[in-house]
């Protein structure tokens, strides 16, 4: 399945289901008990969503850096990570959120 994020202020952003669910979980719009197959992000909640995504990106990057430092300290091979991190996956949606926040337009999504 794909998640398709839409708004009048920006072009569509399409994500594979695991990536879409991950970013929605970060912004508080998805959980295992409340899956979010369709939804809306209102302009008044967009700054909170951007802050949550930025914090999650910083945490992921810190965890990667710490894992590499630990491996080096213990003379182990460097750990392997997914080639594309949260920063790259979330960037198109974050840009969409910024544009929609400026234009005061909601973002909707569906699968």
């Amino acid at each position: 399945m794909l998640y398709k994020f839409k708004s009048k202020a920006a072009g569509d952003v399409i994500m594979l289901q695991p990536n879409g669910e991950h970013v929605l979980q970060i912004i508080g719009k998805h959980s295992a008990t409340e899956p979010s197959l369709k939804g809306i992000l209102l302009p008044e909640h967009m700054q909170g969503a951007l802050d949550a995504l930025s914090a999650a990106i910083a945490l992921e990057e810190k965890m990667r850096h710490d894992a590499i430092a630990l491996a080096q300290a213990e003379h182990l091979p460097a750990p392997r990570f997914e080639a594309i991190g949260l920063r790259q996956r979330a960037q198109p949606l974050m840009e969409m959120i910024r544009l929609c926040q400026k234009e005061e337009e909601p973002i909707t999504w569906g699968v």
Side-chain angles (χ1 to χ4, degrees):
M1 274 195 310
L2 298 173
Y3 274 88
K4 189 172 190 178
F5 297 88
K6 297 180 175 189
S7 178
K8 292 179 182 178
D12 295 350
V13 173
I14 298 172
M15 292 186 177
L16 294 173
Q17 181 180 358
N19 302 322
E21 288 175 354
H22 187 212
V23 295
L24 288 172
Q25 186 175 29
I26 291 168
I27 66 173
K29 296 289 188 174
H30 179 85
S31 70
T33 57
E34 287 187 46
S36 182
L37 300 179
K38 292 182 181 179
I40 187 167
L41 180 62
L42 299 172
E44 57 264 27
H45 300 135
M46 290 180 181
Q47 188 58 52
L50 287 170
D51 293 344
L53 287 166
S54 294
I57 289 167
L59 178 62
E60 179 185 82
E61 290 174 350
K62 182 186 181 326
M63 289 174 58
R64 285 182 178 207
H65 180 269
D66 291 350
I68 291 168
L70 180 62
Q72 288 174 343
E74 295 180 0
H75 304 290
L76 297 171
R80 293 182 176 246
F81 303 106
E82 287 187 37
I84 299 174
L86 180 59
R87 177 178 297 279
Q88 291 84 4
R89 292 193 193 286
Q91 204 62 1
L93 182 61
M94 291 175 75
E95 185 59 30
M96 177 185 224
I97 293 171
R98 287 184 193 101
L99 289 170
C100 293
Q101 185 180 29
K102 184 178 177 181
E103 298 292 322
E104 296 185 14
E105 287 289 336
I107 297 172
T108 60
W109 64 85
V111 292

